[in-house]
């Protein structure tokens, strides 16, 4: 799948904390119906076989909605399930090693917190950057926050698009206006919602307004 900047507008990242009686696929489809522009599958507890089966199921859903499907951290599984891309953090495999492994046809996202990390990721094959945490978040243990100024500095230092992440919700998305990011990555704001589909519709419109120059 050819990478496009608008994929980052409403970037949904899964979390099984709010599944209740639903399956991950059921919640993901609600997000896709609501307008999620990219879907990252993040699973920390499933074994490899269950993770692969879930990934294949959700990849097929994303294909149906023509939305890029990204695997978090697990490069080998991303290749195995034929995901559109993979997203890695600073403590995972280096961007250059990931790029060598996945080739040029898969999307590569890299988490960064500093200008130096951002430039290095770009030079080593990243297609986009995930930058944060921009606000307080309950989905990461002890996240390191970055300031608005740092977010702007990173955006101005690279030529690849940025998605902001960390504690973002419908109340604070607009405060990111003017930072030159391409969209927002959301976890609880989407998947903890009682009406995922409708919430995505609202969040997407707010994000569209936020990225306007």
């Amino acid at each position: 799948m050819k990478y496009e900047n608008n994929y980052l507008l409403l970037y949904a990242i899964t979390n099984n904390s709010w599944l209740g009686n639903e399956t991950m696929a059921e919640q993901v489809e609600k997000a896709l119906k609501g307008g999620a522009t990219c879907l990252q599958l993040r699973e920390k507890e499933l074994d490899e076989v269950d993770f692969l089966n879930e990934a294949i199921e959700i990849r097929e859903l994303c294909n149906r909605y023509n939305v890029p499907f990204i695997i978090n951290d697990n490069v080998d599984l991303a290749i195995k399930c034929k995901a559109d891309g993979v997203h890695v953090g600073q403590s995972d495999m280096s961007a250059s090693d990931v790029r060598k492994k996945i080739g040029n046809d898969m999307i590569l996202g890299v988490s960064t917190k500093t200008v130096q990390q951002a430039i290095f990721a770009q030079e080593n094959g990243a297609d986009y950057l995930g930058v944060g945490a921009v606000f307080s978040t309950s989905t990461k243990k002890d996240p390191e926050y970055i300031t608005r100024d740092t977010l702007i500095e990173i955006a101005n230092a690279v030529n690849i698009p940025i998605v902001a992440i960390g504690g973002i919700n419908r109340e604070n998305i607009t405060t990111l206006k003017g930072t030159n990011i391409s969209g927002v990555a959301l976890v609880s704001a989407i998947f903890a919602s009682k009406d995922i589909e409708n919430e995505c519709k609202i969040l997407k419109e707010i994000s569209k307004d936020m990225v306007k120059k």
Side-chain angles (χ1 to χ4, degrees):
M1 179 179 281
K2 189 176 183 294
Y3 181 80
E4 296 177 14
N5 289 5
N6 61 6
Y7 289 157
L8 301 184
L9 185 63
L10 185 62
Y11 188 121
I13 301 177
T14 66
N15 189 302
N16 59 20
S17 298
W18 305 285
L19 287 179
N21 295 322
E22 294 182 305
T23 65
M24 183 68 78
E26 286 171 337
Q27 288 202 340
V28 164
E29 184 158 27
K30 289 177 180 179
L32 295 172
K33 282 181 177 177
T37 56
C38 189
L39 192 287
Q40 182 188 128
L41 182 62
R42 180 190 282 169
E43 283 286 7
K44 300 292 187 181
E45 297 170 4
L46 286 182
D47 62 41
E48 198 80 1
V49 173
D50 289 337
F51 191 179
L52 179 60
N53 290 335
E54 182 176 84
I56 291 170
E57 181 182 17
I58 293 176
R59 183 207 70 206
E60 290 172 354
L61 262 180
C62 289
N63 286 350
R64 199 183 310 157
Y65 286 86
N66 199 31
V67 167
F69 174 57
I70 310 293
I71 292 287
N72 181 63
D73 291 350
N74 196 323
V75 179
D76 290 333
L77 189 135
I79 295 169
K80 210 177 281 186
C81 77
K82 299 180 180 177
D84 295 304
V86 63
H87 188 98
V88 295
Q90 290 296 311
S91 60
D92 302 315
M93 189 185 295
S94 70
S96 58
D97 287 342
V98 176
R99 180 53 77 194
K100 286 174 189 173
K101 201 160 189 176
I102 66 176
N104 294 322
D105 294 332
M106 286 178 69
I107 297 166
L108 173 57
V110 179
S111 294
T112 61
K113 295 180 183 296
T114 68
V115 169
Q116 185 180 16
Q117 288 176 354
I119 293 171
F120 188 76
Q122 176 178 265
E123 290 174 345
N124 285 276
D127 291 302
Y128 73 90
L129 304 176
V131 180
V134 293
F135 302 113
S136 175
T137 173
S138 61
T139 57
K140 282 273 191 180
K141 292 181 179 178
D142 302 318
E144 294 177 26
Y145 306 117
I146 66 161
T147 65
R148 177 185 172 87
D149 286 345
T150 298
L151 182 61
I152 293 171
E153 285 172 14
I154 292 173
N156 291 337
V158 295
N159 299 318
I160 54 177
I162 287 171
V163 60
I165 186 169
I168 302 170
N169 54 49
R170 65 155 85 177
E171 280 76 35
N172 58 28
I173 289 176
T174 53
T175 66
L176 298 170
K177 195 175 182 73
T179 57
N180 293 323
I181 61 173
S182 295
V184 288
L186 307 174
V187 186
S188 61
I190 291 175
F191 292 103
S193 171
K194 292 179 180 177
D195 187 344
I196 293 173
E197 182 177 346
N198 189 57
E199 190 66 18
C200 281
K201 289 176 181 177
I202 294 168
L203 291 164
K204 188 174 183 179
E205 289 307 308
I206 299 172
S207 187
K208 277 182 183 176
D209 182 65
M210 181 271 296
V211 300
K212 282 181 183 174
K213 302 296 185 185

